[in-house]
């Protein structure tokens, strides 16, 4: 993954892991909740992303457990993953700052004929 813009699903996967280790289904639920429903991760996308993020050292496998006869795979954010997420948050904040600065420089909008 480049140091430039992070894809939105990856952003929400890493964000979901900031509160500690989670299994795949919990990551899917948190990514959806945290993104206000904007990101709905299919299972195959989640695990492909987690595999790639693990290779990049941003997440690590953190054990398995059997619940009701099904194996749950757990993942955790690494220090490198946390650092990368902070960089992405900084990048996004800089973009927002620029937009807000530009908006404050333009004349007031006239809405419905009222200044």
């Amino acid at each position: 993954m480049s140091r430039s813009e992070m894809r939105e699903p990856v952003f929400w996967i890493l964000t979901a892991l900031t509160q500690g280790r989670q299994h795949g289904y919990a990551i899917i639920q948190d990514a959806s909740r945290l993104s206000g429903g904007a990101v709905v991760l299919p299972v195959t996308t989640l695990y492909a992303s987690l595999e790639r993020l693990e290779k990049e050292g941003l997440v690590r496998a953190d054990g398995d457990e059997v619940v009701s006869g099904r194996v749950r795979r757990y993942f955790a954010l690494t220090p490198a993953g946390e650092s990368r997420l902070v960089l992405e948050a900084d990048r996004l904040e800089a973009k927002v700052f620029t937009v807000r600065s530009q908006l404050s420089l333009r004349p007031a909008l006239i809405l419905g004929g009222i200044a």
Side-chain angles (χ1 to χ4, degrees):
M1 178 182 306
S2 75
R3 297 290 179 195
S4 61
E5 185 172 349
M6 182 182 287
R7 292 179 54 218
E8 191 168 9
V10 169
F11 176 83
W12 293 114
I13 290 168
L14 295 179
T15 300
L17 290 171
T18 60
Q19 297 304 303
R21 74 191 278 268
Q22 291 196 56
H23 57 81
Y25 184 66
I27 295 170
I28 289 170
Q29 289 180 312
D30 273 357
S32 179
R33 178 182 57 82
L34 292 166
S35 70
V39 171
V40 179
L41 294 167
V43 172
T44 54
T45 300
L46 172 69
Y47 283 101
S49 296
L50 288 169
E51 184 176 304
R52 188 172 52 257
L53 292 168
E54 191 172 12
K55 286 179 183 174
E56 294 173 5
L58 303 180
V59 302
R60 64 179 167 78
D62 198 39
D64 298 333
E65 74 177 354
V66 178
V67 176
S68 302
R70 298 181 68 147
V71 176
R72 285 186 177 169
R73 292 175 52 199
Y74 283 83
F75 296 88
L77 190 62
T78 65
E82 186 171 336
S83 294
R84 180 63 181 94
L85 190 57
V86 167
L87 286 173
E88 181 65 4
D90 290 346
R91 188 188 69 75
L92 293 170
E93 284 176 346
K95 287 173 74 171
V96 169
F97 177 80
T98 299
V99 169
R100 292 193 189 282
S101 296
Q102 289 300 111
L103 288 171
S104 70
L105 294 176
R106 51 177 215 178
L109 292 176
I110 299 175
L111 301 175
I114 301 172

